Amino acid sequence: AQPAILGIPNTFTPNGDGKNDTWIIDYLEDHPINMVEVFNRWGQLVFSQKDYTNTNPWDGGDLPEEVYYYIISVGDNDQNPHRGYITIKK
């Protein structure tokens, strides 16, 4: 099965300027059952959110500027999750 169509930005800038401060994933709200996981370059899980929503999006926490790897699964048994890279720039 094809993965659900999502609008996944590849960067965000959590620097407090009010622009692009959080990771907004377009159309993920169409899939209320989902899991978002983000890993650092060593494969350590640095963020995980079940049923991620854009009303409470990830702000990068205290993570440094870096490229991170994400896996976004939709539905109960997603056999083909979205995978890619997200860059945090401050």
Side-chain angles (χ1 to χ4, degrees), residues 6 23 25 28 31-39 45 47-52 70-76 78 81-82:
L6 300 177
W23 195 27
I25 303 169
L28 191 56
H31 309 280
I33 297 172
N34 66 67
M35 173 62 91
V36 174
E37 297 174 299
V38 181
F39 303 86
L45 184 67
F47 175 79
S48 176
Q49 178 69 49
K50 184 171 173 46
D51 305 331
Y52 187 96
Y70 67 79
I71 300 173
I72 301 173
S73 303
V74 296
D76 284 325
D78 190 353
H82 298 267

mmCIF file of all heavy atoms in Angstrom, residues 6 23 25 28 31-39 45 47-52 70-76 78 81-82:
data_model
loop_
_atom_site.group_PDB
_atom_site.id
_atom_site.type_symbol
_atom_site.label_atom_id
_atom_site.label_comp_id
_atom_site.label_asym_id
_atom_site.label_seq_id
_atom_site.Cartn_x
_atom_site.Cartn_y
_atom_site.Cartn_z
ATOM 1 N N LEU A 6 1.328 13.077 2.940
ATOM 2 C CA LEU A 6 1.571 14.024 4.006
ATOM 3 C C LEU A 6 2.471 15.134 3.479
ATOM 4 O O LEU A 6 3.267 14.906 2.569
ATOM 5 C CB LEU A 6 2.273 13.357 5.192
ATOM 6 C CG LEU A 6 1.566 12.195 5.877
ATOM 7 C CD1 LEU A 6 2.442 11.626 6.986
ATOM 8 C CD2 LEU A 6 0.235 12.637 6.436
ATOM 9 N N TRP A 23 7.473 21.911 14.140
ATOM 10 C CA TRP A 23 7.406 20.988 12.999
ATOM 11 C C TRP A 23 5.954 20.700 12.696
ATOM 12 O O TRP A 23 5.321 19.855 13.336
ATOM 13 C CB TRP A 23 8.172 19.721 13.323
ATOM 14 C CG TRP A 23 8.472 18.860 12.144
ATOM 15 C CD1 TRP A 23 8.617 19.235 10.848
ATOM 16 C CD2 TRP A 23 8.701 17.447 12.162
ATOM 17 N NE1 TRP A 23 8.919 18.157 10.060
ATOM 18 C CE2 TRP A 23 8.977 17.041 10.838
ATOM 19 C CE3 TRP A 23 8.702 16.495 13.156
ATOM 20 C CZ2 TRP A 23 9.253 15.723 10.501
ATOM 21 C CZ3 TRP A 23 8.984 15.187 12.821
ATOM 22 C CH2 TRP A 23 9.253 14.807 11.505
ATOM 23 N N ILE A 25 3.284 19.140 10.327
ATOM 24 C CA ILE A 25 3.194 18.098 9.307
ATOM 25 C C ILE A 25 1.798 18.181 8.685
ATOM 26 O O ILE A 25 0.799 17.830 9.317
ATOM 27 C CB ILE A 25 3.447 16.708 9.914
ATOM 28 C CG1 ILE A 25 4.818 16.686 10.594
ATOM 29 C CG2 ILE A 25 3.330 15.624 8.842
ATOM 30 C CD1 ILE A 25 5.074 15.463 11.438
ATOM 31 N N LEU A 28 -1.416 15.383 8.436
ATOM 32 C CA LEU A 28 -1.320 14.302 9.418
ATOM 33 C C LEU A 28 -2.592 14.212 10.248
ATOM 34 O O LEU A 28 -2.972 13.131 10.690
ATOM 35 C CB LEU A 28 -0.089 14.484 10.320
ATOM 36 C CG LEU A 28 0.266 13.303 11.213
ATOM 37 C CD1 LEU A 28 0.473 12.022 10.397
ATOM 38 C CD2 LEU A 28 1.499 13.600 12.040
ATOM 39 N N HIS A 31 -5.087 11.564 9.708
ATOM 40 C CA HIS A 31 -4.714 10.222 10.172
ATOM 41 C C HIS A 31 -4.525 10.280 11.683
ATOM 42 O O HIS A 31 -3.391 10.319 12.166
ATOM 43 C CB HIS A 31 -3.429 9.761 9.473
ATOM 44 C CG HIS A 31 -3.502 9.913 7.992
ATOM 45 N ND1 HIS A 31 -4.146 9.006 7.192
ATOM 46 C CD2 HIS A 31 -3.058 10.889 7.172
ATOM 47 C CE1 HIS A 31 -4.068 9.414 5.936
ATOM 48 N NE2 HIS A 31 -3.422 10.557 5.901
ATOM 49 N N PRO A 32 -5.623 10.297 12.447
ATOM 50 C CA PRO A 32 -5.510 10.491 13.891
ATOM 51 C C PRO A 32 -4.739 9.388 14.606
ATOM 52 O O PRO A 32 -4.205 9.617 15.683
ATOM 53 C CB PRO A 32 -6.962 10.564 14.365
ATOM 54 C CG PRO A 32 -7.762 9.945 13.273
ATOM 55 C CD PRO A 32 -7.006 10.154 12.007
ATOM 56 N N ILE A 33 -4.669 8.224 14.001
ATOM 57 C CA ILE A 33 -3.832 7.165 14.568
ATOM 58 C C ILE A 33 -2.490 7.245 13.845
ATOM 59 O O ILE A 33 -2.380 6.931 12.661
ATOM 60 C CB ILE A 33 -4.469 5.779 14.394
ATOM 61 C CG1 ILE A 33 -5.786 5.720 15.146
ATOM 62 C CG2 ILE A 33 -3.512 4.691 14.859
ATOM 63 C CD1 ILE A 33 -6.591 4.469 14.878
ATOM 64 N N ASN A 34 -1.468 7.724 14.554
ATOM 65 C CA ASN A 34 -0.156 7.881 13.943
ATOM 66 C C ASN A 34 0.926 7.810 15.012
ATOM 67 O O ASN A 34 0.635 7.867 16.205
ATOM 68 C CB ASN A 34 -0.069 9.194 13.161
ATOM 69 C CG ASN A 34 -0.152 10.411 14.049
ATOM 70 O OD1 ASN A 34 0.735 10.685 14.846
ATOM 71 N ND2 ASN A 34 -1.255 11.157 13.928
ATOM 72 N N MET A 35 2.146 7.694 14.574
ATOM 73 C CA MET A 35 3.299 7.698 15.477
ATOM 74 C C MET A 35 4.420 8.444 14.768
ATOM 75 O O MET A 35 4.745 8.143 13.617
ATOM 76 C CB MET A 35 3.734 6.270 15.804
ATOM 77 C CG MET A 35 5.022 6.189 16.605
ATOM 78 S SD MET A 35 4.915 6.980 18.214
ATOM 79 C CE MET A 35 4.383 5.619 19.207
ATOM 80 N N VAL A 36 4.989 9.420 15.457
ATOM 81 C CA VAL A 36 6.118 10.186 14.943
ATOM 82 C C VAL A 36 7.313 9.884 15.834
ATOM 83 O O VAL A 36 7.229 10.022 17.061
ATOM 84 C CB VAL A 36 5.811 11.705 14.937
ATOM 85 C CG1 VAL A 36 7.041 12.498 14.530
ATOM 86 C CG2 VAL A 36 4.638 12.008 14.018
ATOM 87 N N GLU A 37 8.405 9.448 15.214
ATOM 88 C CA GLU A 37 9.637 9.173 15.947
ATOM 89 C C GLU A 37 10.785 9.891 15.256
ATOM 90 O O GLU A 37 10.859 9.925 14.028
ATOM 91 C CB GLU A 37 9.934 7.676 15.978
ATOM 92 C CG GLU A 37 8.876 6.871 16.709
ATOM 93 C CD GLU A 37 9.120 5.384 16.584
ATOM 94 O OE1 GLU A 37 9.111 4.894 15.433
ATOM 95 O OE2 GLU A 37 9.329 4.743 17.611
ATOM 96 N N VAL A 38 11.682 10.474 16.057
ATOM 97 C CA VAL A 38 12.835 11.201 15.536
ATOM 98 C C VAL A 38 14.075 10.669 16.239
ATOM 99 O O VAL A 38 14.080 10.494 17.469
ATOM 100 C CB VAL A 38 12.683 12.722 15.762
ATOM 101 C CG1 VAL A 38 13.885 13.463 15.199
ATOM 102 C CG2 VAL A 38 11.387 13.241 15.137
ATOM 103 N N PHE A 39 15.117 10.434 15.442
ATOM 104 C CA PHE A 39 16.355 9.845 15.947
ATOM 105 C C PHE A 39 17.538 10.747 15.620
ATOM 106 O O PHE A 39 17.545 11.407 14.581
ATOM 107 C CB PHE A 39 16.596 8.476 15.282
ATOM 108 C CG PHE A 39 15.472 7.513 15.489
ATOM 109 C CD1 PHE A 39 14.376 7.497 14.640
ATOM 110 C CD2 PHE A 39 15.507 6.617 16.544
ATOM 111 C CE1 PHE A 39 13.324 6.612 14.824
ATOM 112 C CE2 PHE A 39 14.461 5.721 16.740
ATOM 113 C CZ PHE A 39 13.373 5.713 15.883
ATOM 114 N N LEU A 45 16.659 7.519 19.976
ATOM 115 C CA LEU A 45 15.354 8.170 19.901
ATOM 116 C C LEU A 45 15.415 9.466 20.701
ATOM 117 O O LEU A 45 15.725 9.450 21.893
ATOM 118 C CB LEU A 45 14.278 7.240 20.459
ATOM 119 C CG LEU A 45 12.844 7.718 20.369
ATOM 120 C CD1 LEU A 45 12.382 7.780 18.919
ATOM 121 C CD2 LEU A 45 11.936 6.795 21.166
ATOM 122 N N PHE A 47 12.809 12.004 20.109
ATOM 123 C CA PHE A 47 11.435 12.487 20.210
ATOM 124 C C PHE A 47 10.509 11.385 19.744
ATOM 125 O O PHE A 47 10.784 10.711 18.750
ATOM 126 C CB PHE A 47 11.223 13.732 19.337
ATOM 127 C CG PHE A 47 9.802 14.204 19.309
ATOM 128 C CD1 PHE A 47 9.270 14.943 20.356
ATOM 129 C CD2 PHE A 47 8.975 13.895 18.234
ATOM 130 C CE1 PHE A 47 7.950 15.368 20.331
ATOM 131 C CE2 PHE A 47 7.653 14.314 18.199
ATOM 132 C CZ PHE A 47 7.141 15.052 19.256
ATOM 133 N N SER A 48 9.411 11.208 20.457
ATOM 134 C CA SER A 48 8.406 10.228 20.071
ATOM 135 C C SER A 48 7.046 10.762 20.494
ATOM 136 O O SER A 48 6.896 11.250 21.619
ATOM 137 C CB SER A 48 8.699 8.899 20.770
ATOM 138 O OG SER A 48 7.693 7.957 20.479
ATOM 139 N N GLN A 49 6.078 10.710 19.591
ATOM 140 C CA GLN A 49 4.734 11.179 19.919
ATOM 141 C C GLN A 49 3.711 10.302 19.217
ATOM 142 O O GLN A 49 3.702 10.211 18.000
ATOM 143 C CB GLN A 49 4.553 12.630 19.481
ATOM 144 C CG GLN A 49 3.168 13.184 19.734
ATOM 145 C CD GLN A 49 2.872 13.362 21.211
ATOM 146 O OE1 GLN A 49 3.671 13.936 21.931
ATOM 147 N NE2 GLN A 49 1.758 12.851 21.657
ATOM 148 N N LYS A 50 2.868 9.654 20.011
ATOM 149 C CA LYS A 50 1.754 8.890 19.467
ATOM 150 C C LYS A 50 0.610 9.875 19.224
ATOM 151 O O LYS A 50 0.375 10.772 20.030
ATOM 152 C CB LYS A 50 1.342 7.797 20.458
ATOM 153 C CG LYS A 50 0.262 6.889 19.955
ATOM 154 C CD LYS A 50 0.103 5.728 20.928
ATOM 155 C CE LYS A 50 -1.077 4.850 20.613
ATOM 156 N NZ LYS A 50 -1.262 4.451 19.268
ATOM 157 N N ASP A 51 -0.088 9.706 18.111
ATOM 158 C CA ASP A 51 -1.215 10.566 17.748
ATOM 159 C C ASP A 51 -0.800 12.041 17.707
ATOM 160 O O ASP A 51 -1.434 12.910 18.290
ATOM 161 C CB ASP A 51 -2.400 10.340 18.694
ATOM 162 C CG ASP A 51 -2.812 8.877 18.746
ATOM 163 O OD1 ASP A 51 -2.614 8.170 17.736
ATOM 164 O OD2 ASP A 51 -3.304 8.424 19.788
ATOM 165 N N TYR A 52 0.287 12.307 17.008
ATOM 166 C CA TYR A 52 0.839 13.656 16.826
ATOM 167 C C TYR A 52 -0.195 14.563 16.182
ATOM 168 O O TYR A 52 -0.885 14.162 15.247
ATOM 169 C CB TYR A 52 2.055 13.550 15.918
ATOM 170 C CG TYR A 52 2.881 14.808 15.735
ATOM 171 C CD1 TYR A 52 4.002 15.016 16.515
ATOM 172 C CD2 TYR A 52 2.575 15.746 14.755
ATOM 173 C CE1 TYR A 52 4.800 16.139 16.347
ATOM 174 C CE2 TYR A 52 3.354 16.875 14.576
ATOM 175 C CZ TYR A 52 4.470 17.059 15.378
ATOM 176 O OH TYR A 52 5.247 18.173 15.199
ATOM 177 N N TYR A 70 13.637 10.756 10.715
ATOM 178 C CA TYR A 70 12.301 10.522 11.257
ATOM 179 C C TYR A 70 11.644 9.311 10.604
ATOM 180 O O TYR A 70 11.961 8.926 9.483
ATOM 181 C CB TYR A 70 11.402 11.752 11.095
ATOM 182 C CG TYR A 70 11.051 12.098 9.665
ATOM 183 C CD1 TYR A 70 10.065 11.412 8.964
ATOM 184 C CD2 TYR A 70 11.708 13.129 9.004
ATOM 185 C CE1 TYR A 70 9.745 11.737 7.658
ATOM 186 C CE2 TYR A 70 11.397 13.469 7.701
ATOM 187 C CZ TYR A 70 10.412 12.761 7.032
ATOM 188 O OH TYR A 70 10.104 13.081 5.735
ATOM 189 N N ILE A 71 10.713 8.739 11.363
ATOM 190 C CA ILE A 71 9.807 7.705 10.870
ATOM 191 C C ILE A 71 8.411 8.121 11.306
ATOM 192 O O ILE A 71 8.177 8.370 12.493
ATOM 193 C CB ILE A 71 10.149 6.309 11.446
ATOM 194 C CG1 ILE A 71 11.568 5.902 11.070
ATOM 195 C CG2 ILE A 71 9.133 5.271 10.953
ATOM 196 C CD1 ILE A 71 12.034 4.618 11.738
ATOM 197 N N ILE A 72 7.504 8.253 10.335
ATOM 198 C CA ILE A 72 6.123 8.609 10.631
ATOM 199 C C ILE A 72 5.230 7.485 10.119
ATOM 200 O O ILE A 72 5.194 7.214 8.917
ATOM 201 C CB ILE A 72 5.721 9.937 9.973
ATOM 202 C CG1 ILE A 72 6.633 11.071 10.458
ATOM 203 C CG2 ILE A 72 4.245 10.244 10.260
ATOM 204 C CD1 ILE A 72 6.410 12.378 9.738
ATOM 205 N N SER A 73 4.530 6.844 11.035
ATOM 206 C CA SER A 73 3.606 5.762 10.695
ATOM 207 C C SER A 73 2.182 6.273 10.841
ATOM 208 O O SER A 73 1.881 7.024 11.767
ATOM 209 C CB SER A 73 3.805 4.573 11.635
ATOM 210 O OG SER A 73 5.129 4.121 11.589
ATOM 211 N N VAL A 74 1.311 5.864 9.920
ATOM 212 C CA VAL A 74 -0.103 6.220 10.021
ATOM 213 C C VAL A 74 -0.927 4.938 10.025
ATOM 214 O O VAL A 74 -0.563 3.953 9.403
ATOM 215 C CB VAL A 74 -0.554 7.164 8.881
ATOM 216 C CG1 VAL A 74 0.175 8.489 8.978
ATOM 217 C CG2 VAL A 74 -0.363 6.554 7.522
ATOM 218 N N GLY A 75 -2.020 4.970 10.765
ATOM 219 C CA GLY A 75 -2.854 3.772 10.881
ATOM 220 C C GLY A 75 -2.325 2.836 11.942
ATOM 221 O O GLY A 75 -1.307 3.076 12.585
ATOM 222 N N ASP A 76 -3.038 1.740 12.123
ATOM 223 C CA ASP A 76 -2.677 0.780 13.165
ATOM 224 C C ASP A 76 -1.490 -0.090 12.798
ATOM 225 O O ASP A 76 -0.730 -0.503 13.651
ATOM 226 C CB ASP A 76 -3.872 -0.124 13.484
ATOM 227 C CG ASP A 76 -4.911 0.581 14.330
ATOM 228 O OD1 ASP A 76 -4.527 1.403 15.181
ATOM 229 O OD2 ASP A 76 -6.104 0.310 14.126
ATOM 230 N N ASP A 78 1.013 0.248 9.868
ATOM 231 C CA ASP A 78 1.610 0.852 8.681
ATOM 232 C C ASP A 78 2.835 0.051 8.256
ATOM 233 O O ASP A 78 3.846 0.031 8.952
ATOM 234 C CB ASP A 78 1.992 2.300 8.973
ATOM 235 C CG ASP A 78 2.404 3.076 7.738
ATOM 236 O OD1 ASP A 78 2.532 2.468 6.657
ATOM 237 O OD2 ASP A 78 2.590 4.297 7.863
ATOM 238 N N PRO A 81 5.979 3.064 6.338
ATOM 239 C CA PRO A 81 5.969 4.394 6.961
ATOM 240 C C PRO A 81 6.798 5.409 6.174
ATOM 241 O O PRO A 81 7.654 5.044 5.370
ATOM 242 C CB PRO A 81 6.585 4.130 8.338
ATOM 243 C CG PRO A 81 7.423 2.925 8.154
ATOM 244 C CD PRO A 81 6.732 2.095 7.111
ATOM 245 N N HIS A 82 6.506 6.659 6.426
ATOM 246 C CA HIS A 82 7.292 7.751 5.841
ATOM 247 C C HIS A 82 8.620 7.820 6.586
ATOM 248 O O HIS A 82 8.648 7.775 7.809
ATOM 249 C CB HIS A 82 6.556 9.079 6.012
ATOM 250 C CG HIS A 82 5.242 9.121 5.316
ATOM 251 N ND1 HIS A 82 5.099 9.606 4.043
ATOM 252 C CD2 HIS A 82 4.013 8.742 5.711
ATOM 253 C CE1 HIS A 82 3.830 9.526 3.686
ATOM 254 N NE2 HIS A 82 3.151 8.996 4.682
#
